[in-house]
Amino acid sequence: MDIASSPFKDGTGSAPYHGSLSVSNLTQPLLSPLKAVRGSMKQVTQRLRDGDIEVLEAPEPMLTPETVLVDVRASLLSVGTERSKVEAGRKSLIGKARSRPQEVAQVLDKARTDGIKQTVHAVRARLDQPTALGYSAAGVVLAAGSLVRGITAGDRVAIGGGDYAIHAEIDRVPGNLCVPLLDGVAFEEGAFATVGAISMHGVRQAEASLGERVAVIGLGLVGQLAGLLLHAAGCTVIGIDVDGNVLDAAKEVGTVDVGVLRSELEGDRLPAEVGDCDAVLITAATSSSDPVSLAARLCRDRGRVVVLGDVGLEIPRAPYYDKEIDLRLSRSYGPGRYDREYEERGLDYPIGYVRWTERRNMEAFVRLVASGQVPVSRLIKERVPINDASTAYERLVRDKSSPLGVIITYPDRDGDASPGVEGSRIADGDNLYPAPLATDDGRVSAIGAGSFSQRVLIPSLIASGFTPMTVSSARGLSARAAKERFGFVGMATPDEVIASDEAGLVAIATRHASHAELAANVLRTGRSVFVEKPPCLTWDELEDLRAARTEEGGLLAVGFNRRHAPLSQA
């Protein structure tokens, strides 16, 4: 890879992209006084290659304008979902491929466009990456980005979202996936908010109303919470499961009014207390379509069936046609899920058009917990310190009758030292050592450890003779993977890489909107920068980059690699 000097070095060269969106006023200084830098944090991870669960040390995530940093106090181990994830990770490569046909299709597309060799490298790198686990937690806000509304440092909050509300000591969560905890709601109760929102959206899809009879097929955590919500709505709940112990637990908690084993519902006739349901919620997880067939038998004429769980969907036409049953699917937490504009950029839906978004579902669930109408504390059967999390996951796979409500707990970090920039630390293995080292132009630190950085940028820098020193990434976990793969001395937050002068060159391969600010901050420390394209998005950012380079004289190099591509040249 040709690392050429920037076209801006002499104040000349072609202008960068100048769009209508200005991001310079959306970003805030990285060295924020709100953020308490502790150096590293513990995080529960799974390696895709073999499914092994580890508790690793990783750098803290980086605050962005749309996100909130949360000091996690409790996170919910969602037994059904996370057991499936662990079991899928432990399958052979062929087994993984069979269980993930969409990802196989993506690999084939990449092979057609990038070639077999590049695709194999990318797949191997992906399999070696540790991935985050967890999606429902609660804690205390450390800092809130400039675009987040209604959340401030010190607030007690419930947080949600896969890849966001993970099992880690500090989580970075978009503002729309963060809701205040009301007084009287403990952190471990707030940790149920995301799973509660899943159940609540299913109940809303069923349009369950006061006095109706509703069956719940599958009494895992989502099913149990759905039963509690249906009771709060004034419904009679019929619970059905294949496991007698689960049924007993549901009766003890008060989830169901009537509990029936699936094996008792064979034959043409149903027990009188089970049939003619107004609605049926399917919260089971099975490749079989039996729950869908059973739901039709349980429904009254023109009843409603809502599918929440991952079940087979071979629909028997006759019973659904004869009764004119309304079949619906419930998509996760509610409207907003999988919409990047909503989840990542914080753009809310108007309440007059979309009453119950995923955030509003989470808020409503927290209110029900605070009022005592949904007693989630009854579902908590075990508490596990984060250091012992891998043992808890092993039990999930080994013991199919493991408790439903497992809370991961975290040490109280309030008394920990929280050094600022002057006390910056960098992780060395699983320990921390004081930085910096002497500046040396043969050393490089990296901010950004995503796919391109690990496949192209970092290997090219090492091949060019640079010694890898410290690696950083926005969420932290990819930095851990890059450290192990390329032999970086340590890992740290972006703030710490900027504050340290251990490397004469800092390579930046983060998201586009952060390039200019990161590059300017590094240049002002007197070091050189290699930044991936584009170096900036606005004219103001361009002028700031020029000023930063002029102030200290560091070299600014930009990775306009496409100009060297054979296809571009042709």
Side-chain angles (χ1 to χ4, degrees), residues 84-85 87-104 310:
S84 299
K85 227 177 178 182
E87 290 177 339
R90 294 185 175 179
K91 291 179 179 179
S92 65
L93 286 177
I94 294 176
K96 287 183 174 71
R98 286 174 175 169
S99 63
R100 302 180 182 183
Q102 290 181 330
E103 294 185 16
V104 172
D310 185 7

Side-chain angles (χ1 to χ4, degrees), residues 285-317:
T286 173
S287 58
S288 168
S289 297
D290 177 69
V292 178
S293 299
L294 176 60
R297 296 176 58 205
L298 298 172
C299 264
R300 62 164 170 80
D301 193 53
R302 293 179 175 81
R304 307 174 298 277
V305 174
V306 180
V307 179
L308 287 81
D310 185 7
V311 297
L313 286 176
E314 294 182 5
I315 313 300
R317 184 180 188 278

Side-chain angles (χ1 to χ4, degrees), residues 45-246:
T45 67
Q46 179 187 29
R47 200 172 296 276
L48 290 179
R49 182 177 295 280
D50 51 22
D52 280 356
I53 305 297
E54 297 178 279
V55 179
L56 300 177
E57 289 278 351
E60 293 177 4
M62 182 180 72
L63 182 68
T64 61
E66 303 86 1
T67 60
V68 176
L69 290 182
V70 177
D71 187 353
V72 178
R73 304 299 174 85
S75 59
L76 177 65
L77 200 163
S78 180
V79 173
T81 301
E82 300 200 51
R83 176 189 286 137
S84 299
K85 227 177 178 182
V86 174
E87 290 177 339
R90 294 185 175 179
K91 291 179 179 179
S92 65
L93 286 177
I94 294 176
K96 287 183 174 71
R98 286 174 175 169
S99 63
R100 302 180 182 183
Q102 290 181 330
E103 294 185 16
V104 172
Q106 292 174 1
V107 170
L108 294 176
D109 287 340
K110 184 174 180 62
R112 281 190 285 268
T113 57
D114 294 359
I116 298 295
K117 184 177 179 180
Q118 287 295 327
T119 302
V120 169
H121 285 319
V123 170
R124 285 177 176 171
R126 178 70 179 131
L127 289 174
D128 287 333
Q129 287 267 16
T131 59
L133 293 170
Y135 61 94
S136 193
V140 178
V141 174
L142 291 173
S146 58
L147 297 181
V148 176
R149 299 290 177 262
I151 300 291
T152 59
D155 287 351
R156 300 168 67 253
V157 293
I159 56 178
D163 292 330
Y164 298 120
I166 56 179
H167 302 311
E169 290 183 299
I170 296 179
D171 283 346
R172 184 184 71 170
V173 185
N176 274 349
L177 296 178
C178 181
V179 301
L181 279 185
L182 301 180
D183 292 341
V185 179
F187 289 119
E188 60 182 26
E189 294 174 316
F192 281 82
T194 308
V195 183
I198 295 172
S199 301
M200 180 171 284
H201 185 52
V203 172
R204 295 194 195 285
Q205 289 289 80
E207 298 180 2
S209 60
L210 190 69
E212 286 194 323
R213 290 164 52 83
V214 182
V216 179
I217 300 177
L219 294 174
L221 191 56
V222 172
Q224 298 263 8
L225 289 170
L228 293 175
L229 289 167
L230 288 165
H231 272 149
C235 298
T236 299
V237 182
I238 296 98
I240 300 166
D241 202 278
V242 296
D243 189 334
N245 292 327
V246 172

Side-chain angles (χ1 to χ4, degrees), residues 536-560:
C536 53
L537 298 181
T538 69
W539 292 110
D540 289 342
E541 289 180 343
L542 172 58
E543 290 305 320
D544 188 50
L545 274 176
R546 283 174 169 162
R549 179 183 53 78
T550 302
E551 288 169 16
E552 298 294 338
L555 174 68
L556 174 62
V558 180
F560 288 119

Side-chain angles (χ1 to χ4, degrees), residues 272-443:
E273 70 273 17
V274 173
D276 291 326
C277 291
D278 297 286
V280 179
L281 297 183
I282 300 176
T283 57
T286 173
S287 58
S288 168
S289 297
D290 177 69
V292 178
S293 299
L294 176 60
R297 296 176 58 205
L298 298 172
C299 264
R300 62 164 170 80
D301 193 53
R302 293 179 175 81
R304 307 174 298 277
V305 174
V306 180
V307 179
L308 287 81
D310 185 7
V311 297
L313 286 176
E314 294 182 5
I315 313 300
R317 184 180 188 278
Y320 277 84
Y321 175 81
D322 292 343
K323 293 183 179 180
E324 202 173 47
I325 293 172
D326 188 354
L327 177 64
R328 308 172 182 178
L329 272 72
S330 179
R331 186 174 65 181
S332 199
Y333 326 152
R337 186 70 178 119
Y338 309 116
D339 180 352
R340 292 185 62 184
E341 295 296 323
Y342 178 91
E343 289 194 331
E344 295 184 13
R345 297 183 176 91
L347 300 180
D348 200 2
Y349 301 151
I351 194 170
Y353 293 89
V354 184
R355 176 63 183 93
W356 295 110
T357 60
E358 55 183 321
R359 188 174 196 267
R360 293 178 194 133
N361 277 336
M362 291 173 66
E363 289 175 331
F365 185 82
V366 169
R367 286 197 297 271
L368 289 171
V369 173
S371 68
Q373 293 175 274
V374 180
V376 295
S377 58
R378 297 179 189 174
L379 293 172
I380 301 173
K381 302 301 180 183
E382 187 174 340
R383 295 168 179 84
V384 180
I386 186 172
N387 289 333
D388 298 332
S390 57
T391 305
Y393 276 93
E394 288 297 330
R395 287 206 310 276
L396 287 188
V397 178
R398 185 178 65 249
D399 183 5
K400 298 299 183 181
S401 62
S402 55
L404 289 173
V406 179
I407 292 292
I408 294 181
T409 62
Y410 299 80
D412 185 359
R413 293 157 63 90
D414 287 341
D416 289 355
S418 300
V421 174
E422 294 80 10
S424 176
R425 298 179 297 173
I426 298 172
D428 178 18
D430 289 342
N431 301 312
L432 300 173
Y433 69 88
L437 302 174
T439 298
D440 184 342
D441 288 345
R443 294 172 174 171

